[in-house]
Amino acid sequence: NVQRYPEMVYILGRMGNTKDALDLIIQKIGDVKQAIEFVQEQRDEELWGDLITQSMRNPKVRLFINIDDMVYTFVFILDFLK
């Protein structure tokens, strides 16, 4: 049920299943801003790689990476063209 996804993300995150929670945000909820915020909150460098992988699998999301003084800035642009 779509209305339960936020709760599922919260529970998965609290259980330490952050990769599954991120997958749910990207694939089911489709909220890129939430995905970025979730990864930032987790403070897990490996999860950034998962975010990139998940984003590249989603055809409606384009990812651009800007490296500035060793700080990674992720900018996502939704592509509504099919």
Side-chain angles (χ1 to χ4, degrees):
N1 189 344
V2 171
Q3 294 151 339
R4 299 285 184 214
Y5 288 144
E7 290 85 356
M8 291 170 65
V9 168
Y10 176 79
I11 291 169
L12 287 168
R14 296 290 291 175
M15 291 173 51
N17 297 334
T18 55
K19 187 173 180 176
D20 292 336
L22 180 62
D23 182 55
L24 192 63
I25 295 168
I26 294 291
Q27 300 300 325
K28 299 294 183 183
I29 298 173
D31 188 339
V32 177
K33 183 178 177 185
Q34 181 182 354
I36 294 170
E37 290 171 358
F38 179 79
V39 172
Q40 287 175 332
E41 290 170 3
Q42 302 308 309
R43 300 175 191 235
D44 180 355
E45 290 183 24
E46 201 171 304
L47 202 56
W48 282 111
D50 294 332
L51 176 58
I52 294 169
T53 301
Q54 288 296 327
S55 298
M56 294 181 133
R57 290 181 186 156
N58 188 331
K60 292 188 176 194
V61 178
R62 300 293 181 251
L63 171 68
F64 298 92
I65 303 172
N66 177 27
I67 302 175
D68 182 25
D69 296 328
M70 301 305 289
V71 175
Y72 295 90
T73 304
F74 294 85
V75 179
F76 292 84
I77 298 174
L78 293 178
D79 180 8
F80 293 103
L81 301 175
K82 293 184 180 181

